[in-house]
Amino acid sequence: MSRRNTELLLLIASAFPVILLYAMYVLTAGATISFETLAVPIGLFAAFAAAHIAVRILAPGADPAILPIVFVLSGIGITFVTRLAPDLAISQLIILFVSVALMVGTLALVKNLDVVMRYKYTFGIIGIILLMLPIFIGTTISGSKLWIRIAGFTIQPGEFAKVFIVLFLAGYLAENRELLSISNRKVLGLKIPRFRLLLPLFAVWGVCLLIVVFERDLGSAVLFYTIFLLMLYVATGRFSYVIIGLALLAVGAVGAYKFLSHVQVRFQIWADPFKDAQGQGYQIVQSLYSLADGGLVGVGIGNGMANNIPVVESDFIFSAIGEEMGLLGGGAVLILFMLFAVRGLTTAARAKSDLAAFSATGLTAAISFQAFLIVGGVTRLIPLTGVTLPFMSQGGSSLLASFIIVALLLRAGDEATGREAELTGTGTMAAITDDQVASAAPTGTRFANVPSYGHGNHSTGSRMRRRLLDTPESGVLGRVALANRLTRAVFAFTALFAILIGNLTYVQVIKAKDYQDMPTNNHTIARSKYIQRGSIITSDGVTLAESLQQEDGTYARSYPNGNMAAHVVGYVSQQYGTAGIESVMNDTLTGSKDYSSWNNAIASLAGQTQPGNTAKLTIDSRIQTAAEQALKGFKGAVVVMDPRTGAVLACASSPTYDNTNIDALMQSGGGEDGSMYDRAMDALYTPGSTFKVVTLSAALETGTASLTSTYQAPGSMDIGNAPVTNSANESYGTISLQQAFAVSSNVVFGQVANEVGASSLVQFANAFGYGQKLGQDLTTAASIMADPSLMTEWETAWAGAGQPVGMDHTPGPQTTVMQNCVIAAAIANSGVVMDPFFVSQILAPDGTVVKTTQSRSLGQAVSSATADQVKQAMLAVVQSGTGTDAQIPGVKVAGKTGSAETGGTNVNSMFVGFAPYDSPTVAISVALEDFDKHDVEAAKIAGIVLTAALAAQGA
């Protein structure tokens, strides 16, 4: 079968997926299938069929696979441009038809690539002018200065520049390849060219740096540089050029990263796009979300959410393809580009001349490597470079230039003679006279006639002859060597696209679930709008969050009790994701994936949507309200929990925020006042004297001291050659350890801490929960203790008193308010540490209980006997010590106060405690910032909240 008949059959076969894909889009858009609605793919097939006829006439020997590959890519591209940017579809379609016509026109105009040799320097100058033109008259769009405006049209001259520059390089290398391949020295086994032969490499490197600096176009710079390196290697066979070129690339990359902010941003976004997911990383994050949604087979044409990606129809069109056609569709597109590279390089291997071979190589790389750059960028394999996807992305300049490249590849293929023929036009050109031909030539030198490109009689008396050097690049051996290098290039491009497919598999299949479950994934949240999200209620039946159906059938999240427990409940936002219980219980609340019962499991496996389950919290609205009211006007936090189970009864952070309209809050710079910061769970406070509960527990448990042990308690004492002081330097003389606990003597507890030892002190702190994230559902920041091996006697003394000091290491203790509550609860619970939790039960839509949270112990921090002694000491603090503000008439309250210095004159007031003393049912932790300004004790807040808590429990 002839090449053209093969091409025709491939075009007909390609028409089926192109028309089918567009038909699927038509159906999704709500239209009916007809010739009218399918006019775009049918018209496109007609245009390529006409181009096929032209190729039969103008280039009958051209490669038969290139045109069908381009047809499929263009068909998929126009379908997705129509789907993603309907307003731009007509203009894109017109440009596509013009591009096909331009391809035919180029074939008709360029009848032989030998014309390149004649005008190579002209092409080079045009290419450089087009490349540099935006520096002087360019328009900056999206941070890059790549475009120029002419008569209302925006043109990207760099797209056309790559065609002219490739042709110039092909002509230059064809004329000088044997000279460039000569090496006269070796370094580490590599044949190194003379320095003057490296000048073209340095020149191209410099031009690419100028593009990065002045046009801020990283993609074009990398593309041009890679094309040149590939062509240079294919032409000379010297791997040393590649090594030196890569070294220059590394130097340029390091320099650009160090001195150019836009390059730094590109690399930082690539390294961690989720660090600024709503800002500079937004595009790539949304791309990853779309690809993750696509999975193996895609969500269907028109069903994706790739429109969330800015300019998705251009740079990120592959993300939309991957989402709606899945890994199978995205992989098929990559295979088509890989086949384009293989057929283009095969054309180069069959070329009849150096010029045709190098032209085909460079033009193939211009398309194929550009596809690698953009797909690698949008899938986070490499930093995003901002080039377009050839034949597919919206944009006229790229499309026109790509079809010119196709025409030149077809021309190069039509001129091909096969591997067995000796390349023509090889060698170093020199002008010699006929008399010189008769002269004795040096051994090993051949001459071949070459027609002169002079006009009239300008070349009379002499003619151009080519001096052919006898090198491994000469004659048939040169042909074989060149074919071998092109084979390596085929393997290289195949490997590149295989890597892309592997990475795409990782993103769309292996990593997809992780991306979908991210709290900031607005795609997952948006889809949940059509599912009735489950409610969040308190233990006493108050609704904190619910979903209400709207007129359009979607559900909107409502918070009927305002911002009660806002930090615990969290929020749901299509743009900003989820937080709090809304985040950690998202799967259960949405009903998307729930295997808590057989009915739910079967429905989930069948892919059926169902109303979400309800999360019943341990929070008691009465206690929560009391805590929030007590904190009103202050900065700080309150945590209340049941010491027997770890159930959190209240968790308040002040100031709080309005979670009923999170989008408006975020857009107005929400949280700048610290209102979105959860001081109960995430803030690390200096515990002050509340940490003496841990120090006392360690001393009693290890037998280091007893409550009746006596210590000197002067106002100040040197411990470890540095002073440890009591509050206000107050002296207590000789007192018992229990008395020291009641009056909160830092000097005594500094002595006790060193008697216990740094290692043992840290060990007991860890037993109470330090060094780990606490919580079965919502989790805290980990509280911090210093490395005991780095703690001096003085640092250990202050740590025992609850004040973190130290140099050259992280000081401790630093605690969360929740951690402090866990410590108080453990003492109340006979030394057993309970892991806190917020969700008590999961209720099915019909109200039945499908899951109940089980209490979980973190271990026995101290014995029951030790806990009883600490309880006794804590009771004395409230009855007659520093914590009298926490007293409740008729109820025995135990606790420990703390005044924590946070730098300068800033002081925070802390309190931990529990009640009733004999059978504790409530443990509490309070932190009040800026005590030095308002003079309100945390113990007073604790008394108010404990009163409400005991009343709610009926005590």
Side-chain angles (χ1 to χ4, degrees):
M1 184 180 294
S2 69
R3 286 174 169 265
R4 300 283 62 81
N5 287 339
T6 301
E7 181 180 79
L8 178 60
L9 290 177
L10 289 175
L11 276 176
I12 294 172
S14 301
F16 288 101
V18 171
I19 295 174
L20 177 62
L21 184 67
Y22 199 89
M24 293 167 63
Y25 160 69
V26 169
L27 289 174
T28 305
T32 57
I33 301 297
S34 65
F35 282 106
E36 185 179 36
T37 55
L38 295 180
V40 170
I42 293 173
L44 187 62
F45 175 72
F48 272 86
H52 160 75
I53 295 173
V55 172
R56 275 185 179 272
I57 299 170
L58 300 173
D63 186 274
I66 291 178
L67 197 63
I69 291 172
V70 172
F71 170 54
V72 177
L73 292 174
S74 301
I76 297 173
I78 194 61
T79 300
F80 274 89
V81 170
T82 305
R83 142 88 179 93
L84 298 168
D87 294 342
L88 301 174
I90 295 299
S91 61
Q92 183 72 7
L93 185 62
I94 292 172
I95 294 172
L96 179 55
F97 283 119
V98 171
S99 298
V100 176
L102 181 61
M103 175 184 68
V104 174
T106 303
L107 266 179
L109 181 64
V110 182
K111 299 184 180 301
N112 192 308
L113 286 177
D114 287 344
V115 70
V116 172
M117 185 65 74
R118 185 185 308 176
Y119 299 110
K120 60 180 178 294
Y121 291 108
T122 303
F123 289 154
I125 292 171
I126 294 173
I128 294 297
I129 290 174
L130 289 174
L131 198 59
M132 295 299 180
L133 197 59
I135 295 178
F136 305 101
I137 61 172
T139 299
T140 300
I141 301 177
S142 299
S144 296
K145 197 174 183 180
L146 307 178
W147 292 266
I148 58 174
R149 295 188 185 277
I150 301 176
F153 292 96
T154 302
I155 300 172
Q156 191 173 346
E159 291 289 344
F160 301 100
K162 65 187 176 187
V163 179
F164 287 101
I165 289 177
V166 165
L167 294 178
F168 159 70
L169 291 174
Y172 175 82
L173 293 172
E175 186 175 84
N176 297 283
R177 82 179 185 100
E178 292 186 4
L179 178 64
L180 291 169
S181 66
I182 297 173
S183 303
N184 58 358
R185 52 183 171 174
K186 284 187 176 183
V187 176
L188 299 176
L190 283 176
K191 295 180 178 179
I192 304 299
R194 298 171 182 171
F195 178 77
R196 67 184 182 88
L197 299 181
L198 292 173
L199 292 179
L201 180 59
F202 282 104
V204 173
W205 179 71
V207 169
C208 291
L209 284 181
L210 290 176
I211 296 172
V212 174
V213 173
F214 293 105
E215 296 186 8
R216 300 169 65 90
D217 185 10
L218 184 61
S220 294
V222 174
L223 178 62
F224 283 121
Y225 193 69
T226 303
I227 292 172
F228 175 70
L229 275 186
L230 175 65
M231 294 179 69
L232 188 59
Y233 168 72
V234 168
T236 65
R238 293 289 174 251
F239 197 67
S240 55
Y241 281 116
V242 178
I243 298 296
I244 296 170
L246 292 176
L248 289 174
L249 179 64
V251 171
V254 172
Y257 182 83
K258 186 173 182 180
F259 297 107
L260 301 177
S261 60
H262 63 280
V263 176
Q264 292 178 7
V265 168
R266 287 291 176 95
F267 276 88
Q268 289 165 0
I269 292 173
W270 172 62
D272 186 9
F274 299 98
K275 186 176 182 180
D276 188 15
Q278 301 302 322
Q280 292 175 329
Y282 185 76
Q283 269 188 312
I284 188 66
V285 166
Q286 293 300 312
S287 172
L288 293 174
Y289 289 163
S290 286
L291 291 170
D293 288 343
L296 184 64
V297 296
V299 298
I301 306 302
N303 296 325
M305 297 183 63
N307 290 94
N308 287 336
I309 309 173
V311 294
V312 62
E313 70 278 1
S314 181
D315 295 1
F316 282 83
I317 196 169
F318 185 82
S319 302
I321 293 170
E323 180 180 15
E324 300 189 356
M325 295 175 61
L327 173 63
L328 297 180
V333 169
L334 294 179
I335 290 173
L336 286 172
F337 276 110
M338 181 179 70
L339 290 175
F340 183 92
V342 171
R343 300 309 302 181
L345 292 173
T346 300
T347 295
R350 295 180 59 253
K352 71 175 184 179
S353 66
D354 279 358
L355 181 63
F358 301 155
S359 296
T361 300
L363 295 170
T364 300
I367 296 292
S368 304
F369 193 73
Q370 182 169 327
F372 172 82
L373 282 179
I374 187 58
V375 175
V378 302
T379 59
R380 203 188 160 202
L381 176 66
I382 58 176
L384 189 63
T385 53
V387 295
T388 56
L389 187 60
F391 308 114
M392 307 188 81
S393 292
Q394 184 274 328
S397 300
S398 174
L399 204 56
L400 292 168
S402 296
F403 274 87
I404 292 173
I405 288 174
V406 172
L408 295 174
L409 278 176
L410 293 174
R411 175 56 65 206
D414 184 52
E415 296 178 357
T417 59
R419 172 178 177 149
E420 69 281 356
E422 179 177 339
L423 289 174
T424 63
T426 300
T428 303
M429 182 74 74
I432 59 176
T433 65
D434 289 336
D435 293 337
Q436 289 173 311
V437 175
S439 302
T443 303
T445 302
R446 300 177 288 114
F447 294 91
N449 289 330
V450 179
S452 172
Y453 292 124
H455 296 280
N457 295 322
H458 290 182
S459 57
T460 303
S462 71
R463 51 184 174 168
M464 298 296 291
R465 289 187 174 267
R466 189 177 294 276
R467 184 171 181 266
L468 302 178
L469 304 176
D470 278 337
T471 73
E473 298 301 317
S474 304
V476 175
L477 291 179
R479 177 66 177 178
V480 173
L482 177 60
N484 288 336
R485 290 195 293 274
L486 288 169
T487 301
R488 295 187 198 109
V490 168
F491 282 122
F493 274 103
T494 302
L496 287 179
F497 283 101
I499 291 171
L500 284 181
I501 293 173
N503 183 62
L504 189 63
T505 303
Y506 174 76
V507 172
Q508 295 202 261
V509 178
I510 300 172
K511 189 69 174 177
K513 182 66 166 59
D514 293 337
Y515 287 138
Q516 290 172 331
D517 290 345
M518 283 184 170
T520 55
N521 191 324
N522 53 330
H523 291 209
T524 302
I525 297 166
R527 287 192 175 90
S528 70
K529 289 195 305 181
Y530 294 91
I531 302 172
Q532 185 176 3
R533 192 176 180 87
S535 299
I536 300 174
I537 63 175
T538 64
S539 61
D540 56 328
V542 174
T543 300
L544 299 179
E546 62 183 351
S547 289
L548 302 177
Q549 191 168 24
Q550 308 299 296
E551 292 182 359
D552 61 357
T554 63
Y555 289 88
R557 203 60 166 163
S558 171
Y559 300 91
N561 280 280
N563 57 0
M564 180 187 289
H567 292 91
V568 174
V569 175
Y571 56 79
V572 178
S573 166
Q574 184 175 343
Q575 183 173 0
Y576 300 103
T578 58
I581 293 296
E582 296 276 28
S583 177
V584 298
M585 302 303 296
N586 185 64
D587 282 353
T588 293
L589 290 170
T590 58
S592 56
K593 294 179 181 178
D594 180 18
Y595 302 95
S596 54
S597 69
W598 280 107
N599 287 337
N600 287 354
I602 293 172
S604 296
L605 291 173
Q608 296 178 0
T609 59
Q610 54 186 343
N613 293 326
T614 291
K616 184 178 182 180
L617 305 184
T618 57
I619 296 289
D620 187 300
S621 66
R622 296 161 293 183
I623 306 174
Q624 181 71 27
T625 298
E628 292 179 358
Q629 288 296 323
L631 282 174
K632 194 170 184 179
F634 299 103
K635 287 184 178 180
V638 173
V639 173
V640 182
M641 64 186 293
D642 187 333
R644 301 162 297 183
T645 63
V648 179
L649 306 178
C651 184
S653 176
S654 180
T656 188
Y657 69 99
D658 182 9
N659 62 345
T660 63
N661 192 356
I662 193 66
D663 290 348
L665 178 64
M666 290 289 197
Q667 290 165 9
S668 62
E672 291 182 357
D673 58 351
S675 60
M676 296 190 71
Y677 185 47
D678 191 345
R679 286 170 163 81
M681 303 286 284
D682 297 329
L684 289 173
Y685 287 98
T686 296
S689 293
T690 59
F691 189 77
K692 289 170 183 170
V693 173
V694 176
T695 307
L696 179 60
S697 298
L700 297 176
E701 184 74 7
T702 58
T704 301
S706 67
L707 290 178
T708 58
S709 299
T710 57
Y711 291 87
Q712 293 296 317
S716 177
M717 175 184 290
D718 282 354
I719 301 178
N721 299 319
V724 176
T725 60
N726 289 328
S727 178
N729 286 318
E730 187 169 351
S731 177
Y732 300 103
T734 301
I735 57 175
S736 69
L737 183 56
Q738 183 168 348
Q739 290 174 315
F741 188 79
V743 299
S744 206
S745 171
N746 294 333
V747 171
V748 171
F749 274 84
Q751 298 172 67
V752 172
N754 274 291
E755 290 175 359
V756 170
S759 295
S760 185
L761 184 64
V762 172
Q763 179 182 345
F764 275 92
N766 291 341
F768 278 106
Y770 271 72
Q772 60 180 302
K773 295 182 177 181
L774 300 172
Q776 293 195 50
D777 29 51
L778 294 179
T779 57
T780 69
S783 297
I784 298 171
M785 279 297 288
D787 184 344
S789 65
L790 301 177
M791 294 170 66
T792 65
E793 285 186 41
W794 180 70
E795 292 169 350
T796 302
W798 273 115
Q803 192 70 35
V805 295
M807 300 290 290
D808 301 325
H809 63 87
T810 302
Q814 299 178 55
T815 185
T816 63
V817 178
M818 178 65 78
Q819 170 68 79
N820 253 8
C821 193
V822 167
I823 292 172
I827 297 302
N829 193 37
S830 301
V832 178
V833 182
M834 303 304 295
D835 199 11
F837 62 94
F838 287 85
V839 180
S840 63
Q841 292 180 324
I842 301 299
L843 307 179
D846 61 3
T848 58
V849 177
V850 296
K851 181 181 179 182
T852 299
T853 303
Q854 301 298 316
S855 299
R856 184 172 67 187
S857 169
L858 296 177
Q860 185 93 30
V862 293
S863 66
S864 177
T866 296
D868 285 342
Q869 294 181 71
V870 177
K871 283 175 64 178
Q872 178 184 334
M874 293 176 72
L875 178 63
V877 169
V878 176
Q879 287 187 334
S880 59
T882 58
T884 55
D885 280 345
Q887 292 178 357
I888 300 174
V891 179
K892 286 184 178 180
V893 178
K896 183 71 187 78
T897 60
S899 296
E901 297 179 4
T902 60
T905 60
N906 294 333
V907 178
N908 295 336
S909 179
M910 312 290 286
F911 182 85
V912 296
F914 51 85
Y917 173 77
D918 295 319
S919 299
T921 59
V922 179
I924 192 168
S925 170
V926 180
L928 276 186
E929 299 177 18
D930 303 325
F931 170 68
D932 52 298
K933 297 177 182 178
H934 54 67
D935 204 33
V936 176
E937 294 273 4
K940 183 176 181 179
I941 301 296
I944 295 171
V945 178
L946 283 173
T947 300
L950 294 173
Q953 291 180 336

